[in-house]
Amino acid sequence: MRRTYLPLATLLAAASVLVFACGAGTPKPEPSASPPGTDFLTKITQGGQEQARRQSMQTELARKKIQHVVFIVKENRTFDHMFGTFPGADGATTGETCKGRTVRLKRASDTQPDITHSFNSGITAINGGAMNCFDELVGGEKLQSYTQFHRDQIPNYWTLADHFVLADHFFSSVYGPTGPEHMWTISGQSATFVEQEREGQYGTGAPREFCDDPKERAYAFKDDMTQEEQNLAYQAEEAPNIPALVKYWEQKWPCVDISTLPDQLQKAGISWKYYRGENPWADPLRMVKHIRRGPMWKNRVPDTQILDDAAKGNLPAMSWVVPPWEYSDHPFTLSGRPPNSMCEGENWSVRLVNALQQSKDWNSTLVILTWDDFGGFYDHVAPPHLDLYGLGPRVPAIIMSPWAKSGHVESRTLEFASVLTTVQRLFDLPPLTGRNARSSDVFDALDFTQEPLKPLILEERSCSGLK
């Protein structure tokens, strides 16, 4: 069965029963009895007080040291696929198939095949926590999912992980795919959406125009689900039983009005930008009606602008950075283009991280580099089943700052909402959703009493001749 954890606030609130705290529109799993013994709640309470004290101290230190957060979101890789052999991390070099066979993770190639990585694909691969049905995915029937990179293949990603902090229990927020995942990166929810537009749902214009095409549709959980229906849907995910699950879906226009972190920052007078490369699947601000049609739209700028802003020492307090499609690390290619190269994507990351480290803003900057979903690739760690949306499979995350604990592997449970929580605590903003409220920040990966790490400027590498 999959690994689960309970929020501390819930434990403190119930002496005899442990429950999962759930946000609006999410099911409550069956409660579990408390462990026997009269000192259980006392220990939990004492532990909670100590945790709260440490968190308060870290937050106060962070507010003195960190003025800029940069959230870089790439695509479609799992932790085992990229860092499964990283020393000291929770990695694997073998995987299980749906029929119970153990297979070795083969050496990955620079260009990879596309494997389905939809919402239902994530549920299928996780298989109730067994993590053994990646070979049931379309495009993965011949074990294409069971591959991994080694240090010599992605040396700069590994060097960054060595020098800064590698998070080995950082999960995607939702089972997949890219569109809903990116909604979580700005809002801690996907407005019930579980898929991006498919063929037949593109409306009257080009695919994925979102608020610019009222005829577009995408699948989402029904808005009027009863608690019983939510529970049944949750159980269908756990089984898994995809035909039973999709009965609770409907098609909706992917243009919504929800509260986002950009809204909070704007209201508080805190600077922010969304640096976006051309990527037809990743455009969450275009899915939020009041942003798309209001003055905040001007904060959505080309990804290349961050290089200029960094060079001028003009980084905003909060930056989202999404690369152009060809540098996204997504294995798949668009029609008429050569296959995306992992090496070329790594070089794009090196250019950006070098620019950030060479900026006058670097000593007060925190960077989180992650990948948006599992891409169909194998991972052995079962994600906690928090609600109807996930968590999804593990993805890599590298936490970078002059204040990062160099060489540390961060093993607390983190997700995209953790970045929102980090920013909210840094700038004294409230959480947006229940998931957001329950997420840990990343401050434990930082040591604000250490000598600041010196910048690590890396060289891009040649990608010619790689297979």
Side-chain angles (χ1 to χ4, degrees), residues 72 74-75 77 82-83 86 149 151 153-164 166 323 327-329 341-350 353 369-371 396 398 400 458 461:
I72 308 168
K74 305 204 77 179
E75 290 205 37
R77 307 287 173 166
M82 287 184 64
F83 292 101
F86 193 89
F149 287 98
R151 180 186 288 269
Q153 295 178 285
I154 46 174
N156 284 329
Y157 281 143
W158 276 58
T159 299
L160 291 173
D162 284 332
H163 187 69
F164 295 109
L166 178 66
Y327 301 129
S328 69
D329 294 344
S341 161
M342 188 68 163
C343 174
E344 294 286 3
E346 183 187 53
N347 281 345
W348 179 92
S349 300
V350 165
V353 174
L369 165 64
T370 191
W371 285 255
I398 304 174
M400 296 173 276
L458 299 176
R461 58 195 181 96

mmCIF file of all heavy atoms in Angstrom, residues 72 74-75 77 82-83 86 149 151 153-164 166 323 327-329 341-350 353 369-371 396 398 400 458 461:
data_model
loop_
_atom_site.group_PDB
_atom_site.id
_atom_site.type_symbol
_atom_site.label_atom_id
_atom_site.label_comp_id
_atom_site.label_asym_id
_atom_site.label_seq_id
_atom_site.Cartn_x
_atom_site.Cartn_y
_atom_site.Cartn_z
ATOM 1 N N ILE A 72 11.736 27.247 -11.085
ATOM 2 C CA ILE A 72 11.979 26.779 -12.454
ATOM 3 C C ILE A 72 11.273 25.442 -12.641
ATOM 4 O O ILE A 72 11.536 24.494 -11.891
ATOM 5 C CB ILE A 72 13.479 26.617 -12.729
ATOM 6 C CG1 ILE A 72 14.248 27.891 -12.366
ATOM 7 C CG2 ILE A 72 13.718 26.232 -14.180
ATOM 8 C CD1 ILE A 72 15.757 27.710 -12.349
ATOM 9 N N LYS A 74 10.548 22.420 -15.233
ATOM 10 C CA LYS A 74 10.833 21.707 -16.472
ATOM 11 C C LYS A 74 9.830 20.560 -16.612
ATOM 12 O O LYS A 74 8.783 20.584 -15.960
ATOM 13 C CB LYS A 74 12.284 21.250 -16.493
ATOM 14 C CG LYS A 74 13.267 22.431 -16.259
ATOM 15 C CD LYS A 74 14.635 22.187 -16.818
ATOM 16 C CE LYS A 74 14.635 22.367 -18.324
ATOM 17 N NZ LYS A 74 15.987 22.145 -18.900
ATOM 18 N N GLU A 75 10.124 19.543 -17.438
ATOM 19 C CA GLU A 75 9.058 18.586 -17.730
ATOM 20 C C GLU A 75 9.490 17.121 -17.697
ATOM 21 O O GLU A 75 10.592 16.771 -18.127
ATOM 22 C CB GLU A 75 8.476 18.868 -19.125
ATOM 23 C CG GLU A 75 7.679 20.149 -19.193
ATOM 24 C CD GLU A 75 6.640 20.139 -20.295
ATOM 25 O OE1 GLU A 75 6.034 19.088 -20.542
ATOM 26 O OE2 GLU A 75 6.462 21.192 -20.918
ATOM 27 N N ARG A 77 10.037 14.005 -15.921
ATOM 28 C CA ARG A 77 11.065 13.073 -15.464
ATOM 29 C C ARG A 77 10.765 12.677 -14.019
ATOM 30 O O ARG A 77 10.195 13.449 -13.259
ATOM 31 C CB ARG A 77 12.459 13.692 -15.540
ATOM 32 C CG ARG A 77 12.829 14.273 -16.903
ATOM 33 C CD ARG A 77 13.106 13.213 -17.945
ATOM 34 N NE ARG A 77 13.300 13.795 -19.280
ATOM 35 C CZ ARG A 77 13.815 13.141 -20.321
ATOM 36 N NH1 ARG A 77 14.175 11.866 -20.187
ATOM 37 N NH2 ARG A 77 13.953 13.734 -21.488
ATOM 38 N N MET A 82 16.301 10.127 -13.110
ATOM 39 C CA MET A 82 17.419 11.065 -13.191
ATOM 40 C C MET A 82 18.458 10.871 -12.095
ATOM 41 O O MET A 82 19.652 11.074 -12.330
ATOM 42 C CB MET A 82 16.900 12.505 -13.142
ATOM 43 C CG MET A 82 16.202 12.954 -14.418
ATOM 44 S SD MET A 82 15.719 14.706 -14.362
ATOM 45 C CE MET A 82 17.314 15.531 -14.274
ATOM 46 N N PHE A 83 18.008 10.494 -10.902
ATOM 47 C CA PHE A 83 18.930 10.454 -9.762
ATOM 48 C C PHE A 83 18.852 9.141 -8.987
ATOM 49 O O PHE A 83 19.207 9.098 -7.803
ATOM 50 C CB PHE A 83 18.648 11.632 -8.819
ATOM 51 C CG PHE A 83 18.978 12.977 -9.403
ATOM 52 C CD1 PHE A 83 17.985 13.789 -9.915
ATOM 53 C CD2 PHE A 83 20.294 13.424 -9.444
ATOM 54 C CE1 PHE A 83 18.280 15.035 -10.452
ATOM 55 C CE2 PHE A 83 20.608 14.662 -9.972
ATOM 56 C CZ PHE A 83 19.607 15.476 -10.481
ATOM 57 N N PHE A 86 22.072 8.292 -7.233
ATOM 58 C CA PHE A 86 22.741 9.374 -6.507
ATOM 59 C C PHE A 86 23.089 8.909 -5.094
ATOM 60 O O PHE A 86 22.228 8.423 -4.357
ATOM 61 C CB PHE A 86 21.844 10.606 -6.450
ATOM 62 C CG PHE A 86 22.537 11.856 -6.001
ATOM 63 C CD1 PHE A 86 23.162 12.682 -6.918
ATOM 64 C CD2 PHE A 86 22.587 12.213 -4.652
ATOM 65 C CE1 PHE A 86 23.811 13.846 -6.514
ATOM 66 C CE2 PHE A 86 23.229 13.365 -4.243
ATOM 67 C CZ PHE A 86 23.855 14.186 -5.176
ATOM 68 N N PHE A 149 19.155 7.806 -16.110
ATOM 69 C CA PHE A 149 20.404 8.475 -16.447
ATOM 70 C C PHE A 149 21.442 8.212 -15.353
ATOM 71 O O PHE A 149 21.098 7.974 -14.185
ATOM 72 C CB PHE A 149 20.186 9.983 -16.596
ATOM 73 C CG PHE A 149 19.448 10.365 -17.840
ATOM 74 C CD1 PHE A 149 18.076 10.610 -17.819
ATOM 75 C CD2 PHE A 149 20.120 10.491 -19.049
ATOM 76 C CE1 PHE A 149 17.389 10.966 -18.964
ATOM 77 C CE2 PHE A 149 19.447 10.843 -20.206
ATOM 78 C CZ PHE A 149 18.079 11.077 -20.167
ATOM 79 N N ARG A 151 25.434 9.687 -13.797
ATOM 80 C CA ARG A 151 26.142 10.954 -13.592
ATOM 81 C C ARG A 151 26.807 11.473 -14.866
ATOM 82 O O ARG A 151 26.762 12.666 -15.170
ATOM 83 C CB ARG A 151 27.186 10.803 -12.482
ATOM 84 C CG ARG A 151 27.974 12.076 -12.211
ATOM 85 C CD ARG A 151 29.087 11.847 -11.202
ATOM 86 N NE ARG A 151 28.554 11.660 -9.860
ATOM 87 C CZ ARG A 151 28.357 12.633 -8.978
ATOM 88 N NH1 ARG A 151 28.617 13.901 -9.306
ATOM 89 N NH2 ARG A 151 27.894 12.375 -7.767
ATOM 90 N N GLN A 153 25.968 11.188 -17.850
ATOM 91 C CA GLN A 153 25.039 11.585 -18.905
ATOM 92 C C GLN A 153 24.404 12.952 -18.651
ATOM 93 O O GLN A 153 24.055 13.666 -19.589
ATOM 94 C CB GLN A 153 23.935 10.538 -19.043
ATOM 95 C CG GLN A 153 24.416 9.176 -19.521
ATOM 96 C CD GLN A 153 23.267 8.205 -19.586
ATOM 97 O OE1 GLN A 153 22.789 7.706 -18.564
ATOM 98 N NE2 GLN A 153 22.788 7.944 -20.799
ATOM 99 N N ILE A 154 24.184 13.283 -17.394
ATOM 100 C CA ILE A 154 23.628 14.590 -17.028
ATOM 101 C C ILE A 154 24.532 15.191 -15.935
ATOM 102 O O ILE A 154 24.098 15.457 -14.820
ATOM 103 C CB ILE A 154 22.155 14.492 -16.562
ATOM 104 C CG1 ILE A 154 21.949 13.347 -15.558
ATOM 105 C CG2 ILE A 154 21.231 14.312 -17.748
ATOM 106 C CD1 ILE A 154 20.534 13.309 -14.954
ATOM 107 N N PRO A 155 25.805 15.398 -16.271
ATOM 108 C CA PRO A 155 26.792 15.765 -15.248
ATOM 109 C C PRO A 155 26.508 17.090 -14.557
ATOM 110 O O PRO A 155 26.798 17.243 -13.362
ATOM 111 C CB PRO A 155 28.109 15.821 -16.034
ATOM 112 C CG PRO A 155 27.700 16.078 -17.460
ATOM 113 C CD PRO A 155 26.412 15.333 -17.625
ATOM 114 N N ASN A 156 25.948 18.040 -15.277
ATOM 115 C CA ASN A 156 25.712 19.343 -14.649
ATOM 116 C C ASN A 156 24.543 19.314 -13.680
ATOM 117 O O ASN A 156 24.577 19.973 -12.637
ATOM 118 C CB ASN A 156 25.520 20.413 -15.718
ATOM 119 C CG ASN A 156 26.843 20.813 -16.361
ATOM 120 O OD1 ASN A 156 27.885 20.773 -15.719
ATOM 121 N ND2 ASN A 156 26.809 21.177 -17.636
ATOM 122 N N TYR A 157 23.502 18.562 -13.996
ATOM 123 C CA TYR A 157 22.420 18.401 -13.018
ATOM 124 C C TYR A 157 22.959 17.746 -11.749
ATOM 125 O O TYR A 157 22.619 18.148 -10.623
ATOM 126 C CB TYR A 157 21.287 17.551 -13.602
ATOM 127 C CG TYR A 157 20.352 18.305 -14.541
ATOM 128 C CD1 TYR A 157 19.831 17.685 -15.671
ATOM 129 C CD2 TYR A 157 19.958 19.615 -14.281
ATOM 130 C CE1 TYR A 157 18.963 18.349 -16.527
ATOM 131 C CE2 TYR A 157 19.090 20.293 -15.128
ATOM 132 C CZ TYR A 157 18.597 19.652 -16.248
ATOM 133 O OH TYR A 157 17.736 20.320 -17.093
ATOM 134 N N TRP A 158 23.796 16.734 -11.907
ATOM 135 C CA TRP A 158 24.370 16.061 -10.742
ATOM 136 C C TRP A 158 25.311 16.988 -9.975
ATOM 137 O O TRP A 158 25.343 16.954 -8.736
ATOM 138 C CB TRP A 158 25.094 14.790 -11.186
ATOM 139 C CG TRP A 158 24.185 13.603 -11.347
ATOM 140 C CD1 TRP A 158 23.104 13.509 -12.161
ATOM 141 C CD2 TRP A 158 24.285 12.356 -10.668
ATOM 142 N NE1 TRP A 158 22.522 12.267 -12.049
ATOM 143 C CE2 TRP A 158 23.232 11.537 -11.140
ATOM 144 C CE3 TRP A 158 25.176 11.829 -9.742
ATOM 145 C CZ2 TRP A 158 23.031 10.232 -10.686
ATOM 146 C CZ3 TRP A 158 24.983 10.523 -9.289
ATOM 147 C CH2 TRP A 158 23.921 9.752 -9.743
ATOM 148 N N THR A 159 26.072 17.796 -10.668
ATOM 149 C CA THR A 159 26.981 18.720 -9.985
ATOM 150 C C THR A 159 26.202 19.746 -9.176
ATOM 151 O O THR A 159 26.585 20.080 -8.047
ATOM 152 C CB THR A 159 27.893 19.413 -11.011
ATOM 153 O OG1 THR A 159 28.675 18.423 -11.694
ATOM 154 C CG2 THR A 159 28.835 20.395 -10.326
ATOM 155 N N LEU A 160 25.106 20.245 -9.728
ATOM 156 C CA LEU A 160 24.250 21.153 -8.962
ATOM 157 C C LEU A 160 23.680 20.457 -7.730
ATOM 158 O O LEU A 160 23.621 21.047 -6.646
ATOM 159 C CB LEU A 160 23.121 21.683 -9.848
ATOM 160 C CG LEU A 160 23.525 22.647 -10.966
ATOM 161 C CD1 LEU A 160 22.338 22.951 -11.874
ATOM 162 C CD2 LEU A 160 24.111 23.937 -10.410
ATOM 163 N N ALA A 161 23.282 19.201 -7.897
ATOM 164 C CA ALA A 161 22.750 18.436 -6.760
ATOM 165 C C ALA A 161 23.821 18.198 -5.708
ATOM 166 O O ALA A 161 23.546 18.228 -4.500
ATOM 167 C CB ALA A 161 22.173 17.113 -7.254
ATOM 168 N N ASP A 162 25.063 17.967 -6.136
ATOM 169 C CA ASP A 162 26.178 17.800 -5.194
ATOM 170 C C ASP A 162 26.440 19.077 -4.405
ATOM 171 O O ASP A 162 26.658 19.049 -3.190
ATOM 172 C CB ASP A 162 27.467 17.456 -5.960
ATOM 173 C CG ASP A 162 27.521 16.018 -6.452
ATOM 174 O OD1 ASP A 162 26.900 15.152 -5.821
ATOM 175 O OD2 ASP A 162 28.194 15.777 -7.472
ATOM 176 N N HIS A 163 26.447 20.189 -5.099
ATOM 177 C CA HIS A 163 26.854 21.464 -4.508
ATOM 178 C C HIS A 163 25.762 22.086 -3.645
ATOM 179 O O HIS A 163 26.058 22.725 -2.620
ATOM 180 C CB HIS A 163 27.245 22.441 -5.615
ATOM 181 C CG HIS A 163 27.826 23.732 -5.120
ATOM 182 N ND1 HIS A 163 29.051 23.811 -4.510
ATOM 183 C CD2 HIS A 163 27.330 25.009 -5.143
ATOM 184 C CE1 HIS A 163 29.307 25.074 -4.189
ATOM 185 N NE2 HIS A 163 28.275 25.813 -4.555
ATOM 186 N N PHE A 164 24.526 21.902 -4.055
ATOM 187 C CA PHE A 164 23.401 22.489 -3.335
ATOM 188 C C PHE A 164 22.629 21.377 -2.600
ATOM 189 O O PHE A 164 23.237 20.593 -1.889
ATOM 190 C CB PHE A 164 22.519 23.276 -4.310
ATOM 191 C CG PHE A 164 23.209 24.465 -4.908
ATOM 192 C CD1 PHE A 164 23.583 24.479 -6.249
ATOM 193 C CD2 PHE A 164 23.493 25.590 -4.143
ATOM 194 C CE1 PHE A 164 24.223 25.578 -6.805
ATOM 195 C CE2 PHE A 164 24.133 26.700 -4.683
ATOM 196 C CZ PHE A 164 24.502 26.691 -6.016
ATOM 197 N N LEU A 166 19.670 18.274 -2.965
ATOM 198 C CA LEU A 166 18.797 17.425 -3.772
ATOM 199 C C LEU A 166 17.649 16.950 -2.892
ATOM 200 O O LEU A 166 17.878 16.399 -1.808
ATOM 201 C CB LEU A 166 19.568 16.227 -4.322
ATOM 202 C CG LEU A 166 18.764 15.226 -5.153
ATOM 203 C CD1 LEU A 166 18.282 15.863 -6.460
ATOM 204 C CD2 LEU A 166 19.592 13.974 -5.450
ATOM 205 N N PRO A 323 10.733 26.902 -19.442
ATOM 206 C CA PRO A 323 11.567 26.985 -20.649
ATOM 207 C C PRO A 323 10.772 26.811 -21.922
ATOM 208 O O PRO A 323 9.646 26.293 -21.898
ATOM 209 C CB PRO A 323 12.547 25.824 -20.465
ATOM 210 C CG PRO A 323 11.802 24.832 -19.642
ATOM 211 C CD PRO A 323 10.952 25.649 -18.702
ATOM 212 N N TYR A 327 13.688 23.018 -24.876
ATOM 213 C CA TYR A 327 14.642 22.926 -23.769
ATOM 214 C C TYR A 327 13.977 22.467 -22.473
ATOM 215 O O TYR A 327 14.549 22.596 -21.393
ATOM 216 C CB TYR A 327 15.308 24.282 -23.542
ATOM 217 C CG TYR A 327 16.044 24.809 -24.751
ATOM 218 C CD1 TYR A 327 15.822 26.103 -25.219
ATOM 219 C CD2 TYR A 327 16.964 24.011 -25.436
ATOM 220 C CE1 TYR A 327 16.499 26.594 -26.336
ATOM 221 C CE2 TYR A 327 17.646 24.487 -26.553
ATOM 222 C CZ TYR A 327 17.399 25.776 -26.997
ATOM 223 O OH TYR A 327 18.074 26.253 -28.097
ATOM 224 N N SER A 328 12.778 21.921 -22.585
ATOM 225 C CA SER A 328 11.981 21.606 -21.402
ATOM 226 C C SER A 328 12.349 20.286 -20.741
ATOM 227 O O SER A 328 11.863 19.988 -19.656
ATOM 228 C CB SER A 328 10.499 21.575 -21.785
ATOM 229 O OG SER A 328 10.236 20.461 -22.631
ATOM 230 N N ASP A 329 13.185 19.470 -21.382
ATOM 231 C CA ASP A 329 13.519 18.101 -20.962
ATOM 232 C C ASP A 329 12.387 17.125 -21.251
ATOM 233 O O ASP A 329 12.487 15.938 -20.897
ATOM 234 C CB ASP A 329 13.901 18.007 -19.478
ATOM 235 C CG ASP A 329 15.186 18.739 -19.149
ATOM 236 O OD1 ASP A 329 15.942 19.063 -20.079
ATOM 237 O OD2 ASP A 329 15.441 18.986 -17.949
ATOM 238 N N SER A 341 16.381 17.063 -26.805
ATOM 239 C CA SER A 341 17.600 16.502 -26.232
ATOM 240 C C SER A 341 17.689 16.837 -24.748
ATOM 241 O O SER A 341 17.539 17.995 -24.355
ATOM 242 C CB SER A 341 18.821 17.070 -26.967
ATOM 243 O OG SER A 341 20.000 16.925 -26.223
ATOM 244 N N MET A 342 17.949 15.839 -23.926
ATOM 245 C CA MET A 342 18.158 16.080 -22.500
ATOM 246 C C MET A 342 19.391 16.956 -22.291
ATOM 247 O O MET A 342 19.407 17.837 -21.429
ATOM 248 C CB MET A 342 18.333 14.748 -21.773
ATOM 249 C CG MET A 342 18.366 14.860 -20.261
ATOM 250 S SD MET A 342 16.757 15.355 -19.603
ATOM 251 C CE MET A 342 16.958 14.901 -17.883
ATOM 252 N N CYS A 343 20.412 16.744 -23.091
ATOM 253 C CA CYS A 343 21.637 17.546 -23.007
ATOM 254 C C CYS A 343 21.351 19.016 -23.298
ATOM 255 O O CYS A 343 21.806 19.906 -22.570
ATOM 256 C CB CYS A 343 22.672 16.986 -23.976
ATOM 257 S SG CYS A 343 24.189 17.956 -24.115
ATOM 258 N N GLU A 344 20.581 19.291 -24.338
ATOM 259 C CA GLU A 344 20.244 20.679 -24.671
ATOM 260 C C GLU A 344 19.394 21.307 -23.575
ATOM 261 O O GLU A 344 19.553 22.493 -23.254
ATOM 262 C CB GLU A 344 19.513 20.733 -26.012
ATOM 263 C CG GLU A 344 20.356 20.315 -27.211
ATOM 264 C CD GLU A 344 21.395 21.343 -27.619
ATOM 265 O OE1 GLU A 344 21.512 22.379 -26.925
ATOM 266 O OE2 GLU A 344 22.095 21.104 -28.620
ATOM 267 N N GLY A 345 18.490 20.525 -22.995
ATOM 268 C CA GLY A 345 17.692 21.036 -21.891
ATOM 269 C C GLY A 345 18.542 21.343 -20.674
ATOM 270 O O GLY A 345 18.340 22.350 -19.979
ATOM 271 N N GLU A 346 19.511 20.481 -20.392
ATOM 272 C CA GLU A 346 20.427 20.725 -19.278
ATOM 273 C C GLU A 346 21.244 21.991 -19.525
ATOM 274 O O GLU A 346 21.458 22.792 -18.599
ATOM 275 C CB GLU A 346 21.347 19.526 -19.106
ATOM 276 C CG GLU A 346 22.297 19.642 -17.914
ATOM 277 C CD GLU A 346 23.304 18.506 -17.879
ATOM 278 O OE1 GLU A 346 23.984 18.279 -18.912
ATOM 279 O OE2 GLU A 346 23.405 17.843 -16.836
ATOM 280 N N ASN A 347 21.692 22.198 -20.761
ATOM 281 C CA ASN A 347 22.448 23.422 -21.080
ATOM 282 C C ASN A 347 21.614 24.674 -20.840
ATOM 283 O O ASN A 347 22.124 25.697 -20.366
ATOM 284 C CB ASN A 347 22.929 23.377 -22.533
ATOM 285 C CG ASN A 347 24.161 22.506 -22.713
ATOM 286 O OD1 ASN A 347 24.839 22.149 -21.749
ATOM 287 N ND2 ASN A 347 24.458 22.154 -23.957
ATOM 288 N N TRP A 348 20.327 24.623 -21.202
ATOM 289 C CA TRP A 348 19.438 25.762 -20.924
ATOM 290 C C TRP A 348 19.406 26.031 -19.418
ATOM 291 O O TRP A 348 19.490 27.195 -18.981
ATOM 292 C CB TRP A 348 18.036 25.472 -21.441
ATOM 293 C CG TRP A 348 17.039 26.566 -21.182
ATOM 294 C CD1 TRP A 348 16.723 27.607 -22.005
ATOM 295 C CD2 TRP A 348 16.236 26.737 -19.991
ATOM 296 N NE1 TRP A 348 15.773 28.403 -21.414
ATOM 297 C CE2 TRP A 348 15.460 27.902 -20.180
ATOM 298 C CE3 TRP A 348 16.093 26.021 -18.808
ATOM 299 C CZ2 TRP A 348 14.559 28.363 -19.220
ATOM 300 C CZ3 TRP A 348 15.219 26.477 -17.840
ATOM 301 C CH2 TRP A 348 14.453 27.644 -18.054
ATOM 302 N N SER A 349 19.293 24.983 -18.620
ATOM 303 C CA SER A 349 19.259 25.144 -17.160
ATOM 304 C C SER A 349 20.562 25.740 -16.651
ATOM 305 O O SER A 349 20.560 26.597 -15.758
ATOM 306 C CB SER A 349 19.003 23.788 -16.485
ATOM 307 O OG SER A 349 17.774 23.226 -16.897
ATOM 308 N N VAL A 350 21.685 25.297 -17.203
ATOM 309 C CA VAL A 350 22.986 25.821 -16.794
ATOM 310 C C VAL A 350 23.079 27.313 -17.106
ATOM 311 O O VAL A 350 23.559 28.109 -16.274
ATOM 312 C CB VAL A 350 24.118 25.035 -17.486
ATOM 313 C CG1 VAL A 350 25.456 25.767 -17.375
ATOM 314 C CG2 VAL A 350 24.233 23.640 -16.882
ATOM 315 N N VAL A 353 20.874 29.128 -14.451
ATOM 316 C CA VAL A 353 21.407 29.088 -13.088
ATOM 317 C C VAL A 353 22.711 29.874 -12.999
ATOM 318 O O VAL A 353 22.965 30.566 -11.999
ATOM 319 C CB VAL A 353 21.586 27.628 -12.625
ATOM 320 C CG1 VAL A 353 22.290 27.568 -11.267
ATOM 321 C CG2 VAL A 353 20.223 26.927 -12.533
ATOM 322 N N LEU A 369 14.465 24.206 -8.611
ATOM 323 C CA LEU A 369 14.380 23.622 -9.965
ATOM 324 C C LEU A 369 13.714 22.269 -9.855
ATOM 325 O O LEU A 369 14.165 21.401 -9.113
ATOM 326 C CB LEU A 369 15.786 23.471 -10.552
ATOM 327 C CG LEU A 369 15.946 22.578 -11.795
ATOM 328 C CD1 LEU A 369 15.183 23.148 -12.988
ATOM 329 C CD2 LEU A 369 17.421 22.409 -12.145
ATOM 330 N N THR A 370 12.617 22.075 -10.601
ATOM 331 C CA THR A 370 11.925 20.792 -10.557
ATOM 332 C C THR A 370 11.355 20.455 -11.927
ATOM 333 O O THR A 370 11.510 21.220 -12.890
ATOM 334 C CB THR A 370 10.828 20.796 -9.481
ATOM 335 O OG1 THR A 370 10.350 19.453 -9.283
ATOM 336 C CG2 THR A 370 9.661 21.694 -9.864
ATOM 337 N N TRP A 371 10.714 19.296 -12.009
ATOM 338 C CA TRP A 371 10.117 18.792 -13.253
ATOM 339 C C TRP A 371 8.631 18.541 -12.992
ATOM 340 O O TRP A 371 8.247 18.101 -11.921
ATOM 341 C CB TRP A 371 10.841 17.504 -13.677
ATOM 342 C CG TRP A 371 12.199 17.762 -14.257
ATOM 343 C CD1 TRP A 371 12.542 17.709 -15.579
ATOM 344 C CD2 TRP A 371 13.412 18.131 -13.569
ATOM 345 N NE1 TRP A 371 13.881 18.016 -15.757
ATOM 346 C CE2 TRP A 371 14.437 18.283 -14.533
ATOM 347 C CE3 TRP A 371 13.728 18.355 -12.230
ATOM 348 C CZ2 TRP A 371 15.746 18.629 -14.200
ATOM 349 C CZ3 TRP A 371 15.038 18.710 -11.892
ATOM 350 C CH2 TRP A 371 16.018 18.845 -12.873
ATOM 351 N N PRO A 396 12.301 14.982 -9.561
ATOM 352 C CA PRO A 396 13.506 15.548 -8.939
ATOM 353 C C PRO A 396 13.284 17.007 -8.561
ATOM 354 O O PRO A 396 12.468 17.705 -9.166
ATOM 355 C CB PRO A 396 14.568 15.439 -10.041
ATOM 356 C CG PRO A 396 13.980 14.542 -11.092
ATOM 357 C CD PRO A 396 12.502 14.691 -10.989
ATOM 358 N N ILE A 398 15.991 20.319 -7.160
ATOM 359 C CA ILE A 398 17.270 20.815 -6.669
ATOM 360 C C ILE A 398 17.018 22.192 -6.064
ATOM 361 O O ILE A 398 16.472 23.082 -6.724
ATOM 362 C CB ILE A 398 18.315 20.891 -7.793
ATOM 363 C CG1 ILE A 398 18.470 19.529 -8.476
ATOM 364 C CG2 ILE A 398 19.662 21.347 -7.239
ATOM 365 C CD1 ILE A 398 19.376 19.545 -9.697
ATOM 366 N N MET A 400 18.539 25.516 -4.547
ATOM 367 C CA MET A 400 19.808 26.231 -4.702
ATOM 368 C C MET A 400 19.743 27.610 -4.065
ATOM 369 O O MET A 400 18.766 28.341 -4.227
ATOM 370 C CB MET A 400 20.137 26.359 -6.198
ATOM 371 C CG MET A 400 20.382 25.021 -6.880
ATOM 372 S SD MET A 400 20.588 25.136 -8.683
ATOM 373 C CE MET A 400 18.867 25.139 -9.223
ATOM 374 N N LEU A 458 29.033 26.757 -14.159
ATOM 375 C CA LEU A 458 29.274 25.537 -14.936
ATOM 376 C C LEU A 458 29.403 25.860 -16.421
ATOM 377 O O LEU A 458 28.882 26.870 -16.904
ATOM 378 C CB LEU A 458 28.126 24.550 -14.718
ATOM 379 C CG LEU A 458 27.923 24.084 -13.274
ATOM 380 C CD1 LEU A 458 26.688 23.192 -13.186
ATOM 381 C CD2 LEU A 458 29.155 23.345 -12.751
ATOM 382 N N ARG A 461 27.884 21.865 -22.218
ATOM 383 C CA ARG A 461 28.627 20.783 -22.852
ATOM 384 C C ARG A 461 28.128 20.549 -24.278
ATOM 385 O O ARG A 461 27.010 20.938 -24.629
ATOM 386 C CB ARG A 461 28.539 19.507 -22.031
ATOM 387 C CG ARG A 461 27.144 18.984 -21.779
ATOM 388 C CD ARG A 461 27.136 17.944 -20.670
ATOM 389 N NE ARG A 461 25.795 17.426 -20.434
ATOM 390 C CZ ARG A 461 25.329 16.298 -20.971
ATOM 391 N NH1 ARG A 461 26.098 15.576 -21.764
ATOM 392 N NH2 ARG A 461 24.095 15.902 -20.719
#
